[in-house]
Amino acid sequence: MIWVRMSGVLVLSLLLMGCQDRQARSDNARLAARVLMLEQQVTQLRQAQTEASAVGAPDGFMERAAAQNCANDLSRTLETFRQDSIDGVYPTPARLNLPDSCVGQKIQWVRLTEKAYAFALVDESGAELTQGSGP
């Protein structure tokens, strides 16, 4: 009697293990297909990112952005000097300390007097990148 019960339990265990194996194989196949699809998506995204990086910024974008930063900082420096001066005037070229962002930039002064300033930042060929003036 005990042998019959034991053999019944053994047969039942084997049947359950067989069902679990089929279910596990099915789950593994589904997961493998999902992983493959995700890997393909990652590859496509990397390729799109590489292509977008190759396009990059338009010609001269960085040069114009650096010139604009210089112009903003230079205007701020001039206005700060005027506000801090006793008589409320802009600095002479000899008293002007250019901001760090203007190092390497070519500044063409249109006007720099006690009461007004105007300048243009140009590239190596002389083309205007940006300008500033005040007041």
Side-chain angles (χ1 to χ4, degrees):
M1 191 82 148
I2 290 184
W3 288 103
V4 173
R5 285 187 186 168
M6 297 265 299
S7 62
V9 170
L10 182 61
V11 169
L12 185 59
S13 296
L14 291 173
L15 288 173
L16 286 175
M17 285 175 42
C19 290
Q20 287 176 344
D21 286 345
R22 275 186 259 141
Q23 183 65 33
R25 283 192 296 265
S26 173
D27 290 346
N28 284 342
R30 221 178 24 246
L31 288 173
R34 177 79 175 139
V35 167
L36 181 62
M37 184 181 70
L38 290 172
E39 287 174 344
Q40 289 172 346
Q41 287 177 347
V42 167
T43 301
Q44 290 171 350
L45 288 172
R46 283 184 180 156
Q47 183 178 7
Q49 185 178 20
T50 301
E51 290 171 3
S53 296
V55 171
D59 288 340
F61 174 80
M62 295 301 286
E63 191 174 26
R64 286 191 307 276
Q68 187 62 55
N69 285 339
C70 169
N72 293 344
D73 290 347
L74 182 54
S75 293
R76 195 173 307 115
T77 298
L78 291 164
E79 290 300 329
T80 300
F81 186 94
R82 183 187 61 78
Q83 290 172 2
D84 292 346
S85 71
I86 296 171
D87 46 0
V89 296
Y90 291 107
T92 62
R95 295 181 63 198
L96 177 62
N97 291 319
L98 291 177
D100 291 342
S101 61
C102 292
V103 172
Q105 296 287 340
K106 186 173 181 184
I107 303 170
Q108 289 183 343
W109 290 99
V110 178
R111 176 177 62 252
L112 181 56
T113 66
E114 291 182 345
K115 300 295 179 190
Y117 68 90
F119 60 87
L121 280 100
V122 296
D123 62 12
E124 292 177 8
S125 67
E128 186 176 290
L129 299 171
T130 190
Q131 57 186 345
S133 62

